[in-house]
């Protein structure tokens, strides 16, 4: 995953354009085939409109003495995303109005975009900005804004049931590592792992798009289907730094996405914190807009905004580690396993206990038995009493303090003995 | 307010009578015009009957040596309220059966009434009582109990909507300051402030009556209207001492009256405590009787019964301060403002976020913007996600930890941009 | 109770058989007449089948030198319950496979049964087991397994209403005191106390049976009636040791059985702990199986499994004390009293307070009155406001922090004055 991130790092990404499309292709090489969804410039998507496609070829500032101040080639962040084309000379005072830097982080180049306002601008370190001499500068932004498309890539793993799970990530950020190449590279590998599963119960949709306009566009086309079928969903972002896990709940606060993620984090024994939904953040804002209110949370490491390198050139490849990326991938894989294991079951003998002895599920001489471990025996007794068809195995896990995985194994044993059966179609 | 209380202090008040009526007139001079509601002696009101009117002209005890022991003129509390007329001589031993004093507060004259039992009696300090010599005493209570009326005064400020707010106080207590002239003087000034409001959403009813029989009578005539229209109500009592605020909840415990009062007290940063409803207290007992179960609480300073001067001559004008009366008035005014501001709103763009950028409600270049403060920007994002039409702005304030007043301002901005609209008629 | 336990101690009890029947007879001498319910060998009861009747006459092991190792006469626990008959010689190595002892409790004879598996075996102390010399042993178990019946004894105290209360205990354990003679002897005496009550509101059913198969059989015949009528039920077990009380909740967790037991324990001021239901334990497992889900909890002293003598010969008569048995009996009697007192009442004056003064229920001269204690006066005010017909007196007790018994007395006074009436038929 770290190697893939390194490959993707230098591409000129934005909401649209060649660098963005090349990014999808490199991810697809890992994830397996993606369906593409295209939304043409000018198309209405919910309350929004698809922007023009931005093609950036070159950009630089030259100092009064002709020396180069910044160039696109040196760092993609130097040019404000979606800058309009410009080539002119201008005095420092006027140039200053088009420069962005961070006085409190003097060595960082900030990340700025201006998708919908028709501006142009450059970003640079505050250190460098303070050394600019007076005089006439030359600026060039060789870019086009023209008809094109917002494009999404979607890997679909078909399940046996009607339920769907959404794994969403975004790849419109240029040359930053944790936010946001970590999400796409984990998502691509997760898609590969999902392809290895034998016919899962749920269908899995791993979707790569640009942030905000991507989820808006996806919802405008597929929101109705998601609302009808979505079991749980997660936004994969900030997935590669070695900080503790952060889980941000869906707007519902107790959706299956939330319950599963929190249970899995507890079972993994991983240091983590859980945050309630707020309407500031990433694409979960769209999935959790009040009309949809979908069960979509976000499992991250250190959350966007909570680390100083966020949205600057300091968020580079040194900030993400192979180990952290691996841990995040394993956590999402455990979430998938839990979603697959979680069912609502009902006993076939609800009035009085079933006689376990004659089924070989109870020690035959009143003391401890070797046939079943003490834990398995307790799980069996617990499930037979708990499973009245009104609550799922995850609720059983929460009520008993046992891992869902252990209960699912005990449940399988009881299903073999025809003592439990699923309540509803796999969903 | 303190000056008004001083003017009212010496009047001979009871459930009925000339002193009570004079009290209403002096309050009306501040509150603005009152409608009067009269309930004639003998009229059935719910489970009760309107008592006769009590006219008290003079009352005294003369000692065996002819010297005056106590007189009404000296202190209204010396005569038991609603005493039947008497003029006779009697031995000290018999007189003692008609005397009331407080051995544990030897310098206090207690406040006693006997509205419905046909007794007579005198109250005096225990210090004085212990000095009474043996011998024959002469007692006079020059009073009438005859046909008359219980009378209530009601100031009505009409609102634009159907909802009503009740601000209730009582003024039947003679010559005591905190309990109870503080409630009436704050209520009179609150009525004056309400008159200055431009067409409020709710109608406000500021009602002055005698305690218990007054609220019983009011409910018997207007209870059905209150049950249909009451948004929130408060009993104004013990409003003038400088102790911390006490809020006593309505019987429901989470009525709008309770939620608003508790939010306002928190926002004011005022030291306060919150008590659950108990069926001991003042007129909230009637409004919160189980049949009505109205959203009526009571915002006080130190609650009746919780200060040693309560219901004695020690509850005098020195116990209430202009500053405390002013703070209480401001708290009630803030409650009114909150009731006016609190609406249930719903977004006009519920599926995905509205595009704020093109409405000038989002910074155009990815960084901080000067157009909106960071707090306002967050409130906007919060409200657009929160306002699904199922909860009011107060719930939004509680969920976000922000003051209702700040959210109401952000909501106004969003209404100007047609992004929020009220769910229901103003109520 | 301790004397009765001593009488019962030596009998050879099991699920069935002469010793079990003799036990019922001795209990009946105290409890009063029992109805007998018989379930014949082979009968299907829910998911189970009634086992054969086991008659044990003699059992022993003789050592290679002819000396007696263990005999039934010495201790009933020496023979595994429901052992099949055997009389043969065998080497120590083979004998060992039929021996049960507790290496961690070397002086205890364990209690073992093998009801449904057709085994035979002996139990002995680990100390003794370790001294057995090599050689040929002779074993005898003179027993029959043949057609017979599982038999239950039920004492019924008829109530005036439709509700039923179940007091369940089990008496299939041989020669152990706390688990389980304490439950049966307390239950027998509780039945005797119940017989002394004048026509209770609820019917009481005190049932004595064998564990598990007994409750399964009872439910198979009477479960529908219980489901329709049961107000509350308790399993009486581990009732005689001097440890603190343990209350194990019903599966519902907040059933009337639970609320009453917890209130009574708090009012008694007895040290106690409360445990949520788990599907491991005694007959509450059957009553609380998900199909029935009855309001059945269990009030114990030290719970089965939580004391080291449990299910061994060390659980002897020294473990239970007359005082502890008496305390448990009083606790159950208090539970009965609370179940009888608990009703749902509704005021006859719901709109405004009733005028208490004219009914002599309020002090006539504003101060404290001698007619009613301050506590009674407060209880009256509380109940008149609380009793809206939606919650029972126990809820009133919980809301007010007052004992149910005190509120029930105040409620009786208000019923005499026609100010409260029961909402529903006595149930």
């Amino acid at each position: 995953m770290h190697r893939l991130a390194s490959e993707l790092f230098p591409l000129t990404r934005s909401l649209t354009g060649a660098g963005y499309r090349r990014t999808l292709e490199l991810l697809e090489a890992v994830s397996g085939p993606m369906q593409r969804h295209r939304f043409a410039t000018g198309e209405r998507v919910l309350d929004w409109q698809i922007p023009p496609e931005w093609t950036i070829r070159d950009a630089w500032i030259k100092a009064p003495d002709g020396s180069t101040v910044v160039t696109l080639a040196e760092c993609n962040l130097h040019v404000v995303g979606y800058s309009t084309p410009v080539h002119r000379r201008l005095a420092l005072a006027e140039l200053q109005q088009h420069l962005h830097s961070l006085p409190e982080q003097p060595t960082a180049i900030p990340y700025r975009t201006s998708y919908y306002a028709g501006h142009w601008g450059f970003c640079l370190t505050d250190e460098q900005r303070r050394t600019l001499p007076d005089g006439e500068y030359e600026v060039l932004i060789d870019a086009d804004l023209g008809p094109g498309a917002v494009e999404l890539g979607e890997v679909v793993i078909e399940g046996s049931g009607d339920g769907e799970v959404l794994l969403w990530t975004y790849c419109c950020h240029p040359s930053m590592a944790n936010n946001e190449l970590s999400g796409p590279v984990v998502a691509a590998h997760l898609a590969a792992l999902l392809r290895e599963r034998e016919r899962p119960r749920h269908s899995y949709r791993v979707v790569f798009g640009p942030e905000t306009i991507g989820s808006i566009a996806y919802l405008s086309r597929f929101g109705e289907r998601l609302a009808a079928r979505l079991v749980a969903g997660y936004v994969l972002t900030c997935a590669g730094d070695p900080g503790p896990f952060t889980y941000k709940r869906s707007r519902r606060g107790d959706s299956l996405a939330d319950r599963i993620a929190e249970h899995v984090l507890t079972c993994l024994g991983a240091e983590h914190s859980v945050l309630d939904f707020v309407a500031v953040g990433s694409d979960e804002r769209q999935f959790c807009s009040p009309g949809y209110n979908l069960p979509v949370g976000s499992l991250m490491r250190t959350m966007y905004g909570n680390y100083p390198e966020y949205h600057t050139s300091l968020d580079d490849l040194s900030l993400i580690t192979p180990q952290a990326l691996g841990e995040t991938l394993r956590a999402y894989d455990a979430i998938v396993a839990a979603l697959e294991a979680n069912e609502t079951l009902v006993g076939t003998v609800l009035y009085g206990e079933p006689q376990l002895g004659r089924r070989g599920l109870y020690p035959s001489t009143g003391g401890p038995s070797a046939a079943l471990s003490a834990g398995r025996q307790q799980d069996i007794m617990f499930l037979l009493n708990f499973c009245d068809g009104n609550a799922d195995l995850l609720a059983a896990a929460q009520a008993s303090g046992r891992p869902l995985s252990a209960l699912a194994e005990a449940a399988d044993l009881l299903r073999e003995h025809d003592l439990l059966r699923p309540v509803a179609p796999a969903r």
Side-chain angles (χ1 to χ4, degrees), chain A residues 15-16 38 52-53 71 107 140 169 179 184 188-189 202-204 210-211 218 263 298 302 304 314 341 356 361 402 419:
Chain A
L15 302 185
T16 56
R38 287 185 187 80
E53 185 157 325
T71 71
T107 64
L140 170 91
T169 192
N179 178 237
H189 281 265
H202 305 306
S203 293
Y204 290 80
E211 204 180 7
Y218 189 82
H263 183 73
S298 184
T302 306
Y304 35 76
L314 304 180
L356 295 178
L361 296 172
R402 296 277 297 162
L419 287 171

Side-chain angles (χ1 to χ4, degrees), chain A residues 297-334:
Chain A
S298 184
L299 176 60
M300 300 164 272
R301 308 302 293 251
T302 306
M303 190 169 71
Y304 35 76
N306 286 0
Y307 59 99
E309 301 87 351
Y310 171 69
H311 270 200
T312 76
S313 57
L314 304 180
D315 183 353
D316 61 22
L317 289 163
S318 72
L319 208 69
I320 63 175
T321 70
Q323 187 184 332
L325 290 162
E327 289 166 1
T328 307
L329 178 61
R330 273 192 292 279
Y332 271 105
D333 195 46

Side-chain angles (χ1 to χ4, degrees), chain A residues 89-139:
Chain A
R89 295 175 172 277
L90 72 183
L92 177 61
E94 190 184 351
L95 176 61
Q96 287 287 10
Q97 296 169 37
H98 294 271
L99 298 184
H100 304 273
S101 66
L102 299 169
E104 282 154 27
Q105 289 179 283
T107 64
I109 307 166
Y111 169 51
R112 289 284 182 276
T113 64
S114 182
Y115 297 132
Y116 302 97
H119 291 313
W120 63 265
F122 286 89
C123 301
L124 70 173
T125 70
D126 205 61
E127 241 171 27
Q128 185 178 17
R129 185 179 188 173
R130 283 197 302 259
T131 65
L132 297 182
D134 270 339
E136 199 182 55
Y137 286 74
E138 184 182 356
V139 299

